[in-house]
Amino acid sequence: MTDATCKRCGDALTDHQATDKHRSDKHRSDEHRSVAKRVLATSALAGLSLLLCYASLIRTSDPITFAQRQTVNRAIDLIGQKGFAREAFVLHSAANYRLTDNWWNRWVGHADAYAATNFPFEVVTLYPDFFSVPIDDVERAIILLHEARHLLGKGEPAAFADVWRSKKQLGWTIDTHGHTHVWKSVREFTTHYAPKLFQCGLEGQADCME
C-alpha cells in the first residue's frame, strides 16, 4: 500500500466520520428542539389553565364596594406603617377582593371565617363579619395580615403562628383587645394550629408571646 493510497483511504475515512458526526449532532439538536417545544407547549397550556381558572373565580363572585375598599385600604395602610411592607404591597397590589364566595370556595367549603384566600390566584374573599365584627382597623389589619401570609404561599399553621407572633407589633394585645370576639376567635384557632405558642409558664399553658 502506497502513501498515496493511505492518504486517499485516510481522506475517505475522515469524510465518513464527519458525516456521522454531523448526523449525530443534528439528531441531538432535533431532540433538544423537540424537548424545548414540549416544555413551551406545557408551560403555555398551564398558563392558559391558570388564567381561565382565575377568570372563573372572578366571574362567579361579586366584588367589594368602593366604601368597603376604603375600609380595606385603611387596614392595609396600618400594616405597612407597622413595618410589614412586603405584606402591605401584596395586599394592595396583588389581591383581588371579593364579597361573595366563588365556585371554588363553595365547592371546598370553609369554617366560620372573616376571610378566605385562593392561592395562587390571589383572590381574597371578605365575608360580612370582616366589616362588622372587628372593633377597629387594627383587628381588620390582623385578619388581612393572616391573608397576606396565604397570598405569599403559607398554610394555616404558619399563617396563624406568624400573626400571633406579630400581634404586638400591630398594636393588638391582650390589654387592648383581649375582650373582643376577634381576639378570642384568633386565639382559639392559633391554639389549634400552633399549640407550641401556648406552652409557656409554670403550668405550660401560658401564651409564650405575652
Side-chain angles (χ1 to χ4, degrees):
M1 184 177 292
T2 64
D3 290 342
T5 302
C6 289
K7 183 177 180 180
R8 285 195 299 272
C9 291
D11 286 342
L13 181 59
T14 300
D15 290 343
H16 180 68
Q17 289 176 332
T19 299
D20 287 346
K21 184 176 185 303
H22 175 72
R23 289 174 178 170
S24 178
D25 290 345
K26 185 176 184 301
H27 179 68
R28 283 196 295 269
S29 178
D30 290 343
E31 284 185 338
H32 291 162
R33 280 197 294 269
S34 178
V35 170
K37 287 180 180 179
R38 287 198 296 270
V39 170
L40 184 60
T42 301
S43 299
L45 182 59
L48 179 60
S49 298
L50 289 174
L51 181 61
L52 291 174
C53 189
Y54 173 79
S56 72
L57 295 178
I58 300 304
R59 189 172 59 253
T60 57
S61 60
D62 298 326
I64 61 175
T65 66
F66 177 79
Q68 289 169 335
R69 179 69 209 210
Q70 302 314 302
T71 299
V72 170
N73 286 344
R74 289 198 308 271
I76 297 174
D77 289 342
L78 180 59
I79 290 173
Q81 293 164 11
K82 294 298 183 177
F84 301 94
R86 181 178 63 161
E87 289 80 0
F89 175 79
V90 170
L91 289 165
H92 260 312
S93 305
N96 190 322
Y97 296 97
R98 316 302 290 177
L99 190 60
T100 59
D101 273 329
N102 52 57
W103 66 266
W104 187 352
N105 288 347
R106 290 195 295 269
W107 180 58
V108 174
H110 56 81
D112 293 338
Y114 299 106
T117 295
N118 301 119
F119 178 81
F121 302 100
E122 315 302 75
V123 174
V124 179
T125 304
L126 300 176
Y127 299 109
D129 282 354
F130 172 84
F131 299 100
S132 62
V133 175
I135 65 171
D136 55 22
D137 288 335
V138 174
E139 293 207 315
R140 278 182 279 271
I142 283 290
I143 295 168
L144 288 180
L145 185 61
H146 178 97
E147 299 310 315
R149 296 295 194 244
H150 290 321
L151 290 170
L152 293 169
K154 292 192 175 184
E156 292 291 7
F160 275 108
D162 288 351
V163 170
W164 197 255
R165 293 190 186 100
S166 303
K167 65 184 188 296
K168 283 188 177 181
Q169 188 174 339
L170 267 175
W172 196 59
T173 69
I174 192 170
D175 293 330
T176 59
H177 294 82
H179 63 286
T180 71
H181 186 278
V182 173
W183 178 279
K184 295 172 183 177
S185 176
V186 172
R187 192 185 194 284
E188 179 182 351
F189 278 105
T190 306
T191 302
H192 173 73
Y193 283 105
K196 290 184 178 180
L197 295 180
F198 301 90
Q199 296 177 356
C200 292
L202 295 177
E203 298 181 359
Q205 297 181 347
D207 182 359
C208 299
M209 298 297 105
E210 291 294 336

